[in-house]
Amino acid sequence: MSFLRGLPATYIVLLTAVLIVMAWDWRLSLLALTGQYLVASLLFVDVLDPRLAVVKLLIGLFVCLILYMTARQVNYGRLPTDVSANEVAEFGLGNRSRVGPYRLPAVPLRVLAAIIVLLVVWIVAQRPGFGLPALPVEAAHLNLAVYGLAGLGLLGLSLTADPLPAGLGLFILMTGFELYYSALEQSAALLAALAAANLALALAVAYLTQARYAAALADA
Amino acid sequence: MSFSGPVLLIWGPLLAAATTLALGRWRRVAAIAGAALAGLLWLRLWFAPLDEQIGEMLWYGRSLTMTLGIRSLFLFLLAGAGTLFLLSLPLPQGRYFVSAGLAVLSPLAAMLMIRPSPFSALFWLLAAAFLVILLQSGRVGQAEAGFRYLTMIVIATPLLLTADWMLDIGQAGLQTAVAWLLAAAFIILLAGFPFHIWIQPLVAKAPSLAMGFLFGLAQLAVTLFAYDWLIAHPWLLEEPAFASLLRWSAGLAALTAGLLALTAADYDRLIGSLLLLDMSVALALLAVPVAAGLETAVMLPLARFVNMLAATVGLHWLSQARLGVEFAAYRGLGRQMPVKTAVFAFGLVSLLGLPLTIGFNGRWSALAAIAAQSPVAQSPVAWGMPAALLLAMGGGIYGTWRGLAPMLFTVADDSPPAKQRLSSSLALTLGLVGGILLIGWPRIALSYARHLADLWLLAG
């Protein structure tokens, strides 16, 4: 796995973040989030003791498990029993996003937004004045990773009000921040506190997702 | 066995929350149990030995210390929470209201007790996760309001953590960066412009008592958390960027609130705009020197707790006689339900900070403190902040008039209201008596605010 360390891991992590943002299926998004946590652990090794980086990975996997169980429980992504696919197509309620008075196809819009964010992040990360303080000189790729994850996380948050997909944006943002913060502070106590915070966030997102879709479940 | 305040405040609420969660199937039993457990914690805290520091606890090498100020604060928070749990008997709030309300108190206590402070921000994030559950409280359907609130807290947390690290390393050149980060974090936490967008959805969607919990009790803890930073780092207020950002954000938020109140067509929007105005005053106070602003900053959430309860509970009661929350739907309701209308109107007017209400003392003191820090001799533009607040209050007054006039001064032509349940009558009576006491004797709240502010400054 050492061949993935450095820039390759950064590119893969950003790719997974783009997949999460543009994915039309929650299973694909969660799979991408799982992959992100796996590859991000290689980036964490650059700033943390490997044993602590493993803890980050484990917490990430727990988060994915919580979200997966929640999505399965609420039958996420499936139509209510009294709505057919033909009705969805007839009323144009499919996978579209509202932009002002227009309803645009969601996936191309998301891809475009992700490309714009990546471009901005790429330009900003290359500029000398925008280097994040305290990052190791030999780990300059972390600059791109942190900015990219933060930018794509905020994009994911802003593209939808649905708790589950927006929650994935939250976790992308948190991963980006933790990657940077791990370079500043490496204490086990802080790691434990961040782990607890991530799990609490996962529970909160899971709870809101259940609350959001419980009505549909009850009707079914 | 020696008394340990941190152990009591961290484990006590968690155990109480677990107990009430187990009883959640029986709503009334859980509410009474929650109030009783909050009362037990209150009594244990009240009879704690009064030294300068009431106990210390070690957590992963970090110390959690309960000071007299934290003790005084949690006496109020526990009393407030217990009151809300009792009020949830006639006003059902949802299955998780009591247990989430108790659980929130634990990380709130840890946030204020722990030193050093990077953990404070993370404990606040934990508290926010429980608050989201309290705000949703088992209701199904819309979850946008709670998620938006959670998002804001998640965005603020990295700012606080990074600022703390920069303060730790102590490089003089980073002071401006710290000021920017902390100003941004406080603006997010106190709903300054442009991060005020979570207020309106919460007012529209969250249960009525949860509003008092969040904007009264929890915001009091957050306000004191913000002042902990200002007391520990007094140079912040001398940093031009810090005060300037806070003032601009508060001024714009106030103007936004005034505009929203002017154009409000329903009571949810009106309450949300008045609440945003109150929060913008609290944010502007952060730019005032601590000695001048802390007492008033404590007074504001105290008054807000009572005001939000009166306004949201009053609206909840009134909405049972009407469909929707638009102004037009409540025409003539004042004549049919005079007492409930009085409670609701009191809540609105007090939230606005008009005279003869509990909200007046804090609002007037805040405006005076803000104006005193904005001498025209320094710059005519410095008067912009107080002017913006007064302008916004004008908008709020007009909006409140537009909202209350149809209720109070028109005659409805439909059926008489439903009979009132005994439990609702009792809750109403208690609330009215409490409100009258606080209006007639504002010293009750004022003296507590002064006492808490003095203790907080002493500990700093």
Side-chain angles (χ1 to χ4, degrees):
Chain A
M1 292 288 272
S2 59
F3 66 94
L4 285 177
R5 289 184 64 180
L7 267 176
T10 300
Y11 293 146
I12 295 172
V13 155
L14 292 182
L15 178 66
T16 56
V18 170
L19 273 174
I20 292 167
V21 164
M22 61 169 251
W24 56 92
D25 190 307
W26 66 272
R27 283 163 288 224
L28 186 61
S29 299
L30 270 182
L31 191 63
L33 185 67
T34 310
Q36 184 178 98
Y37 280 120
L38 280 167
V39 181
S41 63
L42 294 175
L43 295 174
F44 276 110
V45 169
D46 289 335
V47 289
L48 280 177
D49 187 301
R51 289 166 294 183
L52 297 181
V54 167
V55 174
K56 294 279 190 191
L57 171 61
L58 286 174
I59 296 299
L61 294 178
F62 272 123
V63 165
C64 293
L65 188 62
I66 290 170
L67 296 179
Y68 176 79
M69 299 292 288
T70 303
R72 293 293 296 184
Q73 215 170 19
V74 303
N75 215 20
Y76 190 85
R78 299 200 179 181
L79 293 172
T81 51
D82 56 345
V83 177
S84 68
N86 289 337
E87 285 169 323
V88 170
E90 184 183 336
F91 289 106
L93 298 174
N95 214 357
R96 289 182 171 268
S97 293
R98 182 177 287 281
V99 179
Y102 307 107
R103 293 184 68 86
L104 303 175
V107 174
L109 185 67
R110 287 164 178 255
V111 169
L112 181 64
I115 289 171
I116 292 171
V117 168
L118 279 175
L119 267 173
V120 170
V121 159
W122 180 266
I123 293 167
V124 167
Q126 305 300 315
R127 288 181 175 269
F130 285 87
L132 292 165
L135 283 183
V137 174
E138 62 275 12
H141 55 278
L142 290 179
N143 213 41
L144 177 62
V146 171
Y147 277 126
L149 287 171
L152 289 168
L154 288 172
L155 178 65
L157 274 172
S158 58
L159 283 177
T160 178
D162 205 330
L164 187 62
L168 298 181
L170 260 184
F171 289 112
I172 298 173
L173 179 65
M174 283 297 288
T175 302
F177 170 70
E178 284 181 53
L179 193 54
Y180 172 56
Y181 198 66
S182 299
L184 308 181
E185 290 273 357
Q186 289 93 24
S187 73
L190 210 49
L191 183 81
L194 279 168
N198 270 290
L199 288 175
L201 274 180
L203 287 172
V205 170
Y207 175 72
L208 289 173
T209 305
Q210 289 219 333
R212 172 69 180 82
Y213 289 96
L217 277 179
D219 290 343
Chain B
M1 191 169 88
S2 62
F3 175 80
S4 174
V7 171
L8 177 73
L9 284 186
I10 287 176
W11 289 110
L14 286 178
L15 289 171
T19 307
T20 51
L21 186 63
L23 297 170
R25 193 177 166 191
W26 304 282
R27 184 184 64 80
R28 292 174 190 273
V29 174
I32 294 170
L37 289 166
L40 277 173
L41 289 170
W42 190 94
L43 284 170
R44 189 66 188 94
L45 201 58
W46 177 259
F47 290 110
L50 290 182
D51 297 322
E52 192 176 316
Q53 289 180 353
I54 313 171
E56 196 170 342
M57 185 175 106
L58 284 179
W59 181 76
Y60 282 95
R62 269 69 176 177
S63 77
L64 290 96
T65 308
M66 190 170 88
T67 61
L68 289 173
I70 294 173
R71 171 186 173 271
S72 180
L73 170 68
F74 273 83
L75 283 173
F76 175 74
L77 295 187
L78 285 166
T83 306
L84 291 178
F85 299 154
L86 286 175
L87 284 174
S88 73
L89 285 169
L91 300 164
Q93 300 294 296
R95 180 171 178 160
Y96 301 115
F97 176 72
V98 176
S99 47
L102 285 166
V104 164
L105 296 176
S106 174
L108 276 184
M111 174 183 83
L112 294 169
M113 290 192 294
I114 199 163
R115 297 284 183 272
S117 52
F119 296 92
S120 305
L122 291 171
F123 279 123
W124 171 238
L125 188 55
L126 276 176
F130 286 125
L131 275 170
V132 164
I133 297 172
L134 178 139
L135 292 169
Q136 194 68 30
S137 275
R139 292 169 307 115
V140 297
Q142 290 292 326
E144 180 192 337
F147 188 81
R148 206 178 274 193
Y149 175 70
L150 185 68
T151 302
M152 290 296 140
I153 303 304
V154 169
I155 292 173
T157 303
L159 302 174
L160 290 167
L161 289 173
T162 309
D164 181 79
W165 172 77
M166 288 181 176
L167 286 168
D168 246 0
I169 64 173
Q171 284 183 13
L174 290 176
Q175 283 190 343
T176 304
V178 169
W180 273 85
L181 287 170
L182 284 178
F186 294 155
I187 287 168
I188 293 171
L189 291 178
L190 295 176
F193 186 91
F195 300 106
H196 60 284
I197 55 172
W198 52 275
I199 299 278
Q200 290 275 0
L202 269 180
V203 172
K205 301 293 181 191
S208 47
L209 298 182
M211 294 288 95
F213 196 107
L214 174 63
F215 293 109
L217 305 182
Q219 280 295 319
L220 177 57
V222 170
T223 301
L224 290 170
F225 171 63
Y227 271 93
D228 271 346
W229 288 84
L230 296 180
I231 293 168
H233 308 285
W235 56 266
L236 274 170
L237 286 173
E238 292 161 20
E239 189 66 37
F242 182 77
S244 179
L245 271 173
L246 290 180
R247 286 196 195 106
W248 271 102
S249 177
L252 288 171
L255 288 173
T256 305
L259 272 172
L260 287 173
L262 268 177
T263 57
D266 61 70
Y267 293 107
D268 281 340
R269 198 173 168 90
L270 179 62
I271 294 172
S273 59
L274 297 181
L275 175 62
L276 179 59
L277 175 58
D278 200 48
M279 303 269 292
S280 66
V281 173
L283 182 63
L285 266 180
L286 281 183
V288 171
V290 174
L294 180 55
E295 184 183 323
T296 309
V298 169
M299 185 65 205
L300 287 176
L302 288 181
R304 199 184 301 136
F305 175 61
V306 175
N307 300 337
M308 284 303 293
L309 281 183
T312 55
V313 170
L315 182 62
H316 170 80
W317 274 329
L318 293 173
S319 66
Q320 289 171 341
R322 290 288 188 276
L323 281 175
V325 288
E326 292 77 22
F327 292 165
Y330 287 66
R331 293 170 64 86
L333 205 55
R335 290 169 187 258
Q336 295 180 346
M337 305 166 88
V339 179
K340 291 178 181 176
T341 304
V343 170
F344 175 62
F346 166 76
L348 283 187
V349 172
S350 188
L351 202 51
L352 198 45
L354 295 184
L356 296 181
T357 64
I358 185 180
F360 173 69
N361 293 297
R363 183 64 60 84
W364 177 253
S365 303
L367 288 173
I370 292 165
Q373 295 305 311
S374 309
V376 71
Q378 286 184 5
S379 160
V381 180
W383 271 103
M385 183 69 232
L389 290 174
L390 286 172
L391 204 61
M393 280 186 68
I397 290 169
Y398 180 71
T400 305
W401 170 256
R402 282 182 58 242
L404 290 179
M407 207 183 272
L408 299 174
F409 303 123
T410 54
V411 179
D413 51 0
D414 51 9
S415 57
K419 288 183 184 172
Q420 193 172 328
R421 287 164 47 195
L422 177 62
S423 53
S424 295
S425 302
L426 279 173
L428 194 54
T429 308
L430 277 172
L432 279 175
V433 169
I436 290 167
L437 275 175
L438 287 167
I439 298 169
W441 286 276
R443 289 198 173 278
I444 297 173
L446 280 173
S447 60
Y448 175 71
R450 185 168 301 131
H451 172 71
L452 184 57
D454 289 342
L455 288 175
W456 216 263
L457 284 170
L458 184 69

